[in-house]
Amino acid sequence: MYDSPTLETKLNTKNIKIAADNVQVYYGETHAIKDVSVQIQDKTVTAFIGPSGCGKSTFLRTLNRMNDTIDICRVQGNILLDGENIYDPRVDPVQLRAKVGMVFQKPNPFPKSIYDNVAYGPRIHGMSKSKADLDQIVETALRRGAIWDEVKDRLHAPGTGLSGGQQQRLCIARAVATEPEVLLMDEPCSALDPIATGQVEELIDELREDYSVVIVTHSMQQAARVSQKTAFFHLGNLVEYGDTSQIFTNPVDPRTESYITGRIG
Amino acid sequence: MTDASISGPAAKPRPNTSGSLLELDKGTRRRNAAEKRFRAYGMAAVGIGLIFLLVLLFTIVRNGVPAFTQTFIELPVTLSEAKLDKSGNRDIEEIKKVTTFGYGGLINSALETTLSDAGIASPFEKASELSKLISSSAAAQIRDYVLTHPDDIGKTVTFEVLASSRVDGYEKGRVTRVALLNDKNLDAEHLDVADQMKEAGVLKRRFNWDFILGADASESRPEQAGIGVSMLGSLFMMLVVLVLSLPIGVAASVYLEEFAPKNWFTDIIEVNISNLAAVPSIVFGILGLAVFIQFIELPQSAPLVGGLVLTLMTLPTIIISTRASLKAVPPSIRDAALGVGASKMQSVFHHVLPLAMPGILTGTILGLAQALGETAPLLLIGMVGYIASNYPDGIASGFLDPNSAMPAQIYEWAKRADPAYYERAWGGIIILLVFLMTMNIIAIILRRRFERRW
């Protein structure tokens, strides 16, 4: 396993937020992720695309150790966040997840008020000293989530009463409230209609200014619209990784081309 | 990858070749008939169930309701100073020396006066024959009154004393003149007198709170027996069960469901918890006898021991229902909490447990209801104490004092020879059912009230 970051890596990672190196993921006997190495840049939207079951969501979940909750899941290899190995035994996954936030496929607000949904993260991390402080954090997060204007008059209504698109933006607001450095999004628009999808995509583009965003998506149009970097996964392998424009116009690997042109997947 | 080869499907015969949609073909008719038959079976099954339920309820109510009323006789008793306080100095210690036997004469003469006042001729030569109309508890009742009101000695005080169980049974239609031919406790003449007393308004049947609140009584005076003390015993036991089984059960299920690794060891535990729920309750009884009474040497007949045994019995029920309601909380909620950086424990205690609470409470209440109605294990640990005096004078006042429990009390009554006790057993069942129904209704209300959508 990993010992200590070498000087060389540090120099190279100036602009690199997450560096994965020969990552293997096993579900019991199944080898789900094979030898994936990828460098994710800061203040960039990186899209993971690929057919169903190719491992893109699995790989995303290794980035904030959500896979730890699955008993049979084993991860090998190194993933460096700002040069620190997140699979180092000294790392507490809870601390890691405060830095690497996550938005899920299905909107999953807590069955609590809108305010409490957003305030929960800051509260458990002790980010606010007073009620006014917390109010400010909640407002900022909801504004960042582009949902403030819609909910500012009913902050104490249940979050589950919102529409699907609003719920997802609430979840994004909840994720940014803890001020993470990386935001992972697992097919955030798959349960949304085109209008809500458009709103969330706009939001992702804005979030790029402050965060490194990694988004898993099934829609190649979406990947093309929102991302600057794209990684194509196939059968657990990272087939190709590069600038989005290059992947979609001039892919190197024939498998990428087949997928993009609709022949596989 | 969907590049599956399309193999040409073999042409199948089309099902309805006869043509018109307006006519049912053979297959459809058969299917419809089968469906109709199945519905009929279902309705018959539900109907039979309902009929049995109605029969059960009707029988319980018909047999049990009379236990709630009791026949009383109004008796103006002259508390003669010559008999009760010879020295005349109202010294309690001296008055106490007169036992209940000393009050027999007073009651006899009071009965005679009552009859002659009402213009009823006594068919008996001996006055003491008349006292068979009255419960043997009357003497104790009057003595208790005298001991608390010594100043009333010398006055005439009107008491409402219990009629004997045979007279009460006659009033309720249970005892007939023919049946009394073989009964040494009462003769048909007594019933004639009772009829006349009823006409004169001396003998009345009214609601009897003492059945609900009172203590048990000896075999020979069923008219005095009540279920109150054993209710207290049941209450103490339920407190023990609640205080022990809810935290232990919830902690165990949360650990098993959320934290424990899934391996062969936890699998074995899981299987065994399910099996424990099916273990006959009498096994828990003998376990309690061996462990709590013989090994730890806790007192017999104590609600604490009963509660411990019932806790063992209730735990699997609570664990199973708690785990089911924890499972029903969508995993997305756990992910959401972990995703914002909550620890496992925070995600469980802030989000999962509150959402599972209605299910947990429902399971707990149903487990308690089951424990409340349990008899067999209580028999083995001696929770059938005979407590004839009520709280606060009685000894049935705490977790370590001997007591009985409602179902055990009902069982005791059903065992006794006097048919009057049979009636009381049914009455006890009504009270027990009222408790169980209340608990179930609370469970339903909790479930409705806290049900959440996510």
Side-chain angles (χ1 to χ4, degrees):
Chain A
M1 284 288 283
Y2 182 78
D3 291 315
S4 69
T6 62
L7 191 63
E8 195 183 33
T9 336
K10 262 189 179 161
L11 285 175
N12 284 345
T13 54
K14 188 118 206 245
N15 211 9
I16 287 169
K17 193 71 190 168
I18 299 175
D21 188 23
N22 292 327
V23 174
Q24 321 278 348
V25 181
Y26 299 89
Y27 284 116
E29 296 299 304
T30 318
H31 196 173
I33 295 286
K34 297 163 193 160
D35 216 13
V36 169
S37 301
V38 68
Q39 298 191 321
I40 291 164
Q41 292 185 335
D42 204 5
K43 307 211 192 302
T44 310
V45 178
T46 307
F48 289 176
I49 59 169
S52 295
C54 69
K56 54 192 188 306
S57 287
T58 301
F59 184 67
L60 187 78
R61 290 168 70 97
T62 60
L63 298 182
N64 70 343
R65 291 184 62 173
M66 281 298 277
N67 278 343
D68 286 16
T69 58
I70 302 164
D71 282 331
I72 56 166
C73 182
R74 282 180 299 127
V75 179
Q76 288 171 5
N78 298 327
I79 296 176
L80 309 184
L81 175 69
D82 291 332
E84 291 176 325
N85 186 8
I86 63 170
Y87 281 90
D88 189 288
R90 284 169 293 178
V91 170
D92 187 330
V94 171
Q95 224 173 323
L96 168 72
R97 289 184 202 124
K99 276 188 166 187
V100 184
M102 188 154 191
V103 175
F104 297 86
Q105 183 170 1
K106 218 179 116 219
N108 56 354
F110 300 127
K112 300 181 178 219
S113 72
I114 293 169
Y115 184 93
D116 286 338
N117 260 286
V118 180
Y120 181 68
R123 264 189 199 135
I124 58 172
H125 296 303
M127 285 167 60
S128 64
K129 290 188 179 58
S130 63
K131 177 85 175 63
D133 232 14
L134 192 61
D135 287 349
Q136 190 52 47
I137 291 175
V138 169
E139 184 180 338
T140 315
L142 286 170
R143 279 189 196 284
R144 274 234 188 96
I147 193 177
W148 170 253
D149 292 331
E150 287 156 74
V151 299
K152 64 181 176 204
D153 300 324
R154 44 173 176 150
L155 285 177
H156 295 283
T160 40
L162 298 171
S163 75
Q166 288 174 324
Q167 285 189 13
Q168 192 62 301
R169 278 179 286 148
L170 175 64
C171 291
I172 294 173
R174 182 177 67 190
V176 300
T178 53
E179 300 193 5
E181 295 166 17
V182 180
L183 198 56
L184 307 178
M185 299 178 136
D186 190 356
E187 296 180 38
C189 301
S190 67
L192 305 184
D193 68 24
I195 295 171
T197 302
Q199 287 165 331
V200 172
E201 282 179 6
E202 252 173 62
L203 181 58
I204 292 171
D205 202 47
E206 283 165 28
L207 292 175
R208 177 161 67 95
E209 290 177 12
D210 304 306
Y211 306 97
S212 168
V213 180
V214 184
I215 175 171
V216 165
T217 176
H218 257 132
S219 150
M220 282 173 282
Q221 289 87 340
Q222 185 172 53
R225 279 195 301 264
V226 301
S227 72
Q228 288 77 49
K229 290 274 189 181
T230 298
F232 172 61
F233 286 79
H234 188 231
L235 299 174
N237 295 303
L238 176 64
V239 175
E240 194 168 349
Y241 174 58
D243 287 336
T244 302
S245 50
Q246 182 247 319
I247 294 264
F248 279 94
T249 53
N250 192 16
V252 177
D253 197 285
R255 285 173 292 179
T256 317
E257 195 185 353
S258 306
Y259 180 68
I260 286 165
T261 52
R263 263 181 285 153
I264 57 171
Chain B
M1 285 135 290
T2 49
D3 47 348
S5 64
I6 298 163
S7 58
K12 283 178 194 156
R14 289 165 60 191
N16 187 356
T17 44
S18 68
S20 170
L21 271 178
L22 299 176
E23 277 170 44
L24 294 177
D25 66 9
K26 233 173 148 187
T28 313
R29 223 173 295 148
R30 225 177 19 239
R31 272 199 309 240
N32 289 354
E35 193 175 317
K36 245 181 218 155
R37 275 200 305 278
F38 179 75
R39 279 196 206 183
Y41 296 149
M43 271 149 73
V46 173
I48 290 171
L50 278 180
I51 288 172
F52 275 112
L53 181 67
L54 284 179
V55 169
L56 178 75
L57 283 181
F58 176 75
T59 322
I60 290 176
V61 170
R62 197 192 56 186
N63 290 328
V65 161
F68 289 88
T69 59
Q70 206 64 43
T71 310
F72 290 86
I73 293 174
E74 249 174 48
L75 213 55
V77 182
T78 310
L79 304 173
S80 136
E81 187 166 8
K83 279 197 172 160
L84 301 179
D85 189 18
K86 281 177 192 141
S87 53
N89 57 10
R90 301 288 183 269
D91 181 3
I92 284 286
E93 290 310 313
E94 270 183 46
I95 300 174
K96 269 189 184 164
K97 280 180 188 154
V98 184
T99 62
T100 47
F101 286 108
Y103 288 80
L106 293 182
I107 293 172
N108 288 345
S109 52
L111 263 172
E112 275 182 327
T113 1
T114 315
L115 287 192
S116 60
D117 283 355
I120 304 166
S122 168
F124 305 108
E125 291 184 7
K126 276 163 67 184
S128 62
E129 270 294 307
L130 274 176
S131 67
K132 284 184 177 175
L133 287 166
I134 287 180
S135 162
S136 46
S137 67
Q141 183 190 348
I142 297 169
R143 182 169 177 266
D144 284 347
Y145 178 84
V146 170
L147 291 182
T148 46
H149 304 81
D151 295 337
D152 281 359
I153 291 179
K155 294 177 192 161
T156 300
V157 181
T158 305
F159 289 95
E160 209 174 31
V161 299
L162 284 162
S164 72
S165 74
R166 293 294 188 283
V167 173
D168 181 58
Y170 174 63
E171 290 300 315
K172 290 170 180 169
R174 190 179 64 230
V175 173
T176 58
R177 285 183 164 76
V178 180
L180 286 184
L181 290 177
N182 298 322
D183 195 334
K184 282 179 198 155
N185 290 312
L186 210 66
D187 297 322
E189 284 85 357
H190 287 108
L191 297 186
D192 296 335
V193 175
D195 279 341
Q196 285 168 303
M197 285 169 86
K198 193 177 178 186
E199 267 171 46
V202 187
L203 183 144
K204 275 184 225 131
R205 188 175 154 199
R206 66 163 172 81
F207 191 79
N208 181 22
W209 277 107
D210 279 343
F211 173 63
I212 300 173
L213 302 174
D216 196 9
S218 76
E219 196 116 356
S220 59
R221 38 173 107 156
E223 64 277 359
Q224 206 194 352
I227 203 168
V229 169
S230 53
M231 220 187 263
L232 212 59
S234 278
L235 174 76
F236 284 137
M237 285 202 306
M238 288 307 111
L239 283 179
V240 174
V241 174
L242 184 68
V243 165
L244 289 180
S245 66
L246 184 61
I248 296 178
V250 170
S253 359
V254 166
Y255 177 73
L256 284 175
E257 197 58 44
E258 306 284 340
F259 293 94
K262 304 273 173 285
N263 54 28
W264 60 271
F265 186 65
T266 45
D267 280 351
I268 288 178
I269 291 179
E270 199 164 316
V271 169
N272 277 303
I273 287 172
S274 311
N275 285 345
L276 274 182
V279 166
S281 54
I282 198 146
V283 176
F284 286 104
I286 211 152
L287 177 77
L289 177 65
V291 175
F292 298 127
I293 294 178
Q294 290 170 353
F295 184 68
I296 305 182
E297 297 187 343
L298 289 169
Q300 278 187 38
S301 309
L304 177 66
V305 180
L308 287 171
V309 170
L310 293 179
T311 301
L312 292 182
M313 223 196 67
T314 319
L315 264 177
T317 317
I318 292 186
I319 292 180
I320 289 171
S321 66
T322 304
R323 293 190 66 182
S325 43
L326 287 174
K327 269 202 186 91
V329 175
S332 64
I333 297 291
R334 295 179 181 84
D335 282 350
L338 295 179
V340 294
S343 69
K344 186 95 201 176
M345 196 159 147
Q346 284 172 326
S347 92
V348 169
F349 281 91
H350 294 168
H351 300 287
V352 179
L353 215 48
L355 287 173
M357 223 37 184
I360 295 173
L361 291 180
T362 310
T364 307
I365 291 172
L366 294 184
L368 280 184
Q370 191 192 351
L372 181 68
E374 201 56 66
T375 325
L378 302 185
L379 300 180
L380 285 181
I381 55 160
M383 273 299 284
V384 280
Y386 168 67
I387 317 292
S389 44
N390 204 347
Y391 184 82
D393 307 329
I395 43 176
S397 49
F399 289 95
L400 287 172
D401 299 314
N403 208 326
S404 186
M406 279 198 280
Q409 183 72 73
I410 292 167
Y411 169 76
E412 275 296 304
W413 283 344
K415 249 180 15 181
R416 288 179 190 168
D418 196 319
Y421 270 119
Y422 185 67
E423 169 197 288
R424 289 189 124 61
W426 284 99
I429 285 173
I430 291 184
I431 294 180
L432 189 62
L433 281 182
V434 167
F435 272 96
L436 294 179
M437 258 148 83
T438 316
M439 290 170 88
N440 278 288
I441 288 170
I442 291 174
I444 291 170
I445 291 173
L446 275 178
R447 203 163 28 200
R448 284 274 164 83
R449 185 88 188 257
F450 294 109
E451 214 165 46
R452 292 203 221 197
R453 272 162 284 144
W454 44 69

